[in-house]
Amino acid sequence: MRPKIEKYYPLIPVYVAYLVMFLIGRTMPSMWQMVALLAFYCAIGQAFNIFLGMTGYVDFGYVAFMALGTYGMALGITAFYQTGLGIGIIFIGLLLGVVMATLLSLAVGSVALRLRGAYFAIATIGVNEGFRYFVEGAKIWGGSEGMIFSRELKEAFGAEMASQLSTLWADVAVFIIAVVAAFVTIYYMRGKIGYALTALREDEDAAKVMGINVTKYKIIAFITSAAFAGLIGAMAWALKLTYVFPPDVFKIHYTIECIIVVLLGGAGTLLGPVVGGLIYAFSKYWLAVVAPGFQLLIFAPIIIAIIMAFPEGIMGLVKRRAKGTGWEKYII
Amino acid sequence: MALLELENITKRFGGLVAVNDVSLQIEAGELIGIVGPNGSGKTTLYNVISGVYSPEEGRVIFQGKDITNLPPYRRAPLGIGRTFQIPRPFKSASVRENVAIGAMFGTLSGKVSVDESLEIADHYIELVGLQAYKDKAAGTLTPTEKKLMEIARALAMKPKLLLMDEAMAGMHPSDIDNMVKFIKKVGVEENIAIVSMVEHIMRAMVGFAQRIIVMHRGAKLVDAPTAEALSDPKVIDVYLGRPSGD
Ligand SMILES: Nc1ncnc2c1ncn2[C@@H]1O[C@H](COP(=O)(O)OP(=O)(O)OP(=O)(O)O)[C@@H](O)[C@H]1O
Ligand SMILES: [Mg+2]
């Protein structure tokens, strides 16, 4: 059925962007680190957009899910590195990361998502800090010292493969996660979930009266978004850096970056997180070169100005412009 | 068995009694007009029926089932649809998507697919005459168009009871006449009990309602067949601003 396929056309520009990035990185080894950084911001934008963009709720504790993904991978590797499972331990780590992130999101979501927007946002601020102090205070998972597992990785895979995992495959995985997250986003958008989320984002009370179980749909978006955060943490942080240090992973800074990427690109659009991720990561990279140490000082007002000028984000604006033109079916 | 039964409903906001000990019954397919001055509790009564508020006292019974404590999203699929006094479209979504949302989530089976919902939406959009605006964002419609869209959205839910909160306020008198005819026709054809406010337009009310409920200061003042209600001296008093009883 042609119209069915057509619903997924907006994936084309997203995937073209990822493909171009990937090919540039692979053909020019000196570019790989930068491309990986770009992919990281696109991926977290894509993941966070599923919640922030589609529901309109802001989760200030989002980075906690990335942190749990990181710990999941760390625990998987340290617990299983001697079992001879080979690459299997990476999958165990991923699975642990996703499960831990998902469980936390379920716990937080089923309580906090009953609250309205601003109250929810406030409630989530505590989650990240709370979890960090819990890890440090209860001295679990290495407590405030964190976990280092480069030795375990080397033992399980050999020095060369371990280094490849960190410098190449972890980044490739981030690309794959971004690709899958984009697919899930449009799959949701085109299905009942997307309609329910649009309705509740616009008017929660009216949505309820139309028969929508708003809490259920908010939780679906929240968990999905958290699961992707877990995957990203497991790959982009744990496997890439081969250590976890609580102050580094439970860092609200990353939540803010997620929010910026999504709002800049256009909340609730498919291409927005890619555009936002690229612009944000590029400027961050570039500012670090031309004005090291002053990135944030320069960045903050620019970002605020852009978001004020384009409240629907860049893609929100483009989407509106594309309406009624031939581009319409490629852009959401 | 009545379609809807309210038993001694009282709803308070702090010290204010918005609905005061109201009991009423609505039969399947009945066309009812509800009138009453500003603040007399009409919208609050709708909110209690659709589940936006739970009453402090009394019971709401729908098709024999006590739904007093059921959340709104579980009442809608039973067959309770409504429009809002101040239209509440899902602004960024198109008219078609808005109406489809009604079809998708507002029916009991819950198994209406997205594509089916969009088809159902097309049908009701045409019925209310909004086909030219189908793909427009609902937020860009005029207030009257928004009201029409809300009617289509509620009808797409296949309600057994449709509560229309001033659906025709602000419309041109000739449009109101058409609207009343249309609503009446749909109600009869699809066997929907409709409670509508046709405020200030008695002529329209007479053409529509088989029964009239008059609200006054949260209480049900009159509940009688249309002709009888309109000649009731209490109703005349309310409209002349000389409320009886005090
Ligand atoms: N959410 C609320 N909080 C506090 N008071 C409320 C609330 N909703 C309604 N009221 C009050 O309850 C009373 C009944 O209001 P309601 O809106 O039901 O009247 P109405 O008959 O629909 O009036 P109108 O014709 O103006 O729409 C009013 O005094 C109103 O101020
Ligand atoms: Mg009212």
Side-chain angles (χ1 to χ4, degrees):
Chain A
M1 229 170 88
R2 245 176 66 89
K4 268 247 155 70
I5 286 280
E6 233 169 67
K7 287 182 174 181
Y8 288 86
Y9 279 5
L11 278 176
I12 295 170
V14 176
Y15 286 173
V16 166
Y18 288 151
L19 189 67
V20 170
M21 283 158 64
F22 186 77
L23 290 178
I24 290 175
R26 291 316 297 148
T27 46
M28 289 181 261
S30 64
M31 300 286 273
W32 183 249
Q33 276 320 304
M34 196 187 72
V35 165
L37 183 79
L38 298 181
F40 172 76
Y41 282 103
C42 291
I44 60 173
Q46 208 100 62
F48 195 43
N49 187 43
I50 295 174
F51 182 64
L52 171 68
M54 296 185 84
T55 65
Y57 277 65
V58 184
D59 172 16
F60 281 111
Y62 192 62
V63 70
F65 302 132
M66 296 171 71
L68 279 192
T70 316
Y71 274 107
M73 180 60 83
L75 293 170
I77 290 172
T78 50
F80 292 98
Y81 73 102
Q82 285 172 319
T83 53
L85 288 170
I87 204 74
I89 64 171
I90 303 296
F91 287 100
I92 293 173
L94 262 184
L95 192 71
L96 271 177
V98 172
V99 169
M100 282 159 56
T102 307
L103 287 180
L104 179 65
S105 71
L106 193 64
V108 173
S110 53
V111 179
L113 282 172
R114 292 173 198 284
L115 305 171
R116 287 297 168 95
Y119 300 99
F120 171 81
I122 292 166
T124 55
I125 292 177
V127 171
N128 183 53
E129 290 300 303
F131 215 90
R132 176 185 158 184
Y133 286 119
F134 170 67
V135 169
E136 293 182 350
K139 296 197 170 32
I140 55 165
W141 305 339
S144 53
E145 254 123 73
M147 298 168 75
I148 301 175
F149 43 91
S150 43
R151 185 182 57 80
E152 284 82 349
L153 259 187
K154 278 193 198 116
E155 215 168 292
F157 294 100
E160 195 179 329
M161 183 59 195
S163 144
Q164 278 233 335
L165 278 173
S166 299
T167 56
L168 173 64
W169 293 109
D171 297 327
V172 172
V174 170
F175 266 103
I176 296 172
I177 294 164
V179 164
V180 177
F183 180 80
V184 170
T185 305
I186 192 162
Y187 177 76
Y188 277 9
M189 280 178 172
R190 297 309 198 199
K192 282 193 177 183
I193 295 174
Y195 283 83
L197 293 175
T198 302
L200 76 88
R201 186 184 63 212
E202 299 280 347
D203 190 330
E204 205 161 324
D205 287 319
K208 283 185 197 161
V209 173
M210 310 307 313
I212 297 172
N213 181 351
V214 294
T215 307
K216 172 179 130 186
Y217 287 102
K218 283 188 275 184
I219 290 178
I220 290 175
F222 194 55
I223 289 179
T224 310
S225 183
F228 279 113
L231 287 173
I232 295 169
M235 286 304 181
W237 286 350
L239 193 59
K240 192 174 166 84
L241 306 175
T242 67
Y243 68 84
V244 200
F245 184 47
D248 284 359
V249 289
F250 291 108
K251 199 171 180 180
I252 191 158
H253 172 86
Y254 288 106
T255 304
I256 306 291
E257 287 191 316
C258 290
I259 296 173
I260 293 173
V261 167
V262 171
L263 294 187
L264 196 61
T269 67
L270 183 68
L271 196 51
V274 182
V275 174
L278 289 180
I279 295 178
Y280 180 78
F282 259 127
S283 345
K284 189 176 157 164
Y285 194 83
W286 179 71
L287 282 173
V289 176
V290 299
F294 290 95
Q295 293 102 305
L296 212 62
L297 210 60
I298 301 174
F299 219 17
I302 297 177
I303 297 276
I304 291 170
I306 293 179
I307 291 171
M308 301 268 278
F310 309 110
E312 8 164 39
I314 295 167
M315 285 318 295
L317 190 75
V318 173
K319 192 171 130 187
R320 205 144 48 78
R321 287 282 163 86
K323 213 156 184 192
T325 73
W327 294 100
E328 190 176 1
K329 59 175 182 282
Y330 300 100
I331 294 170
I332 48 166
Chain B
M1 181 179 66
L3 179 66
L4 175 80
E5 209 171 329
L6 299 185
E7 284 179 3
N8 307 95
I9 294 290
T10 296
K11 174 69 204 165
R12 297 189 193 92
F13 294 107
L16 183 114
V17 188
V19 171
N20 191 0
D21 195 24
V22 169
S23 298
L24 59 83
Q25 292 204 349
I26 297 173
E27 301 296 328
E30 253 195 304
L31 302 176
I32 297 173
I34 185 165
V35 295
N38 293 121
S40 57
K42 304 175 300 282
T43 299
T44 305
L45 198 62
Y46 279 15
N47 282 331
V48 167
I49 297 171
S50 60
V52 177
Y53 300 140
S54 32
E56 271 72 42
E57 285 159 38
R59 299 202 304 160
V60 183
I61 294 158
F62 192 73
Q63 294 187 303
K65 191 180 162 208
D66 188 335
I67 60 165
T68 317
N69 296 314
L70 224 51
Y73 72 86
R74 289 187 52 199
R75 296 187 192 200
L78 296 176
I80 301 179
R82 70 173 288 181
T83 67
F84 296 94
Q85 182 164 358
I86 298 157
R88 299 177 79 158
F90 305 123
K91 292 195 201 79
S92 71
S94 69
V95 171
R96 192 169 184 237
E97 289 167 338
N98 265 273
V99 178
I101 286 170
M104 220 177 291
F105 300 99
T107 48
L108 195 51
S109 76
K111 289 203 180 78
V112 189
S113 74
V114 171
D115 291 329
E116 284 165 335
S117 306
L118 290 167
E119 275 169 38
I120 296 171
D122 287 339
H123 171 72
Y124 286 104
I125 289 170
E126 211 170 308
L127 219 55
V128 298
L130 282 180
Q131 56 276 37
Y133 305 94
K134 205 164 83 165
D135 295 316
K136 271 183 86 170
T140 64
L141 299 178
T142 65
T144 303
E145 289 159 2
K146 282 181 187 155
K147 298 225 161 185
L148 290 172
M149 191 216 74
E150 286 206 338
I151 293 171
R153 188 171 66 178
L155 287 174
M157 296 166 68
K158 297 250 182 288
K160 298 189 180 76
L161 173 67
L162 174 57
L163 307 169
M164 302 209 300
D165 202 343
E166 313 216 345
M168 287 162 260
M171 282 190 192
H172 194 272
S174 64
D175 290 342
I176 293 181
D177 280 345
N178 289 333
M179 201 61 218
V180 165
K181 277 191 205 118
F182 164 72
I183 300 285
K184 194 167 176 176
K185 184 163 159 274
V186 178
V188 170
E189 274 171 12
E190 307 203 7
N191 194 33
I192 305 171
I194 300 179
V195 185
S196 179
M197 286 174 214
V198 197
E199 203 68 3
H200 312 305
I201 320 256
M202 277 302 166
R203 181 170 46 93
M205 186 61 102
V206 173
F208 169 78
Q210 301 157 343
R211 175 151 75 101
I212 287 184
I213 294 170
V214 182
M215 295 291 295
H216 181 61
R217 297 191 176 175
K220 191 176 81 169
L221 188 67
V222 174
D223 181 351
T226 305
E228 199 181 306
L230 291 180
S231 57
D232 191 312
K234 280 185 287 198
V235 176
I236 296 162
D237 281 350
V238 165
Y239 278 90
L240 292 179
R242 279 189 279 113
S244 52
D246 54 19

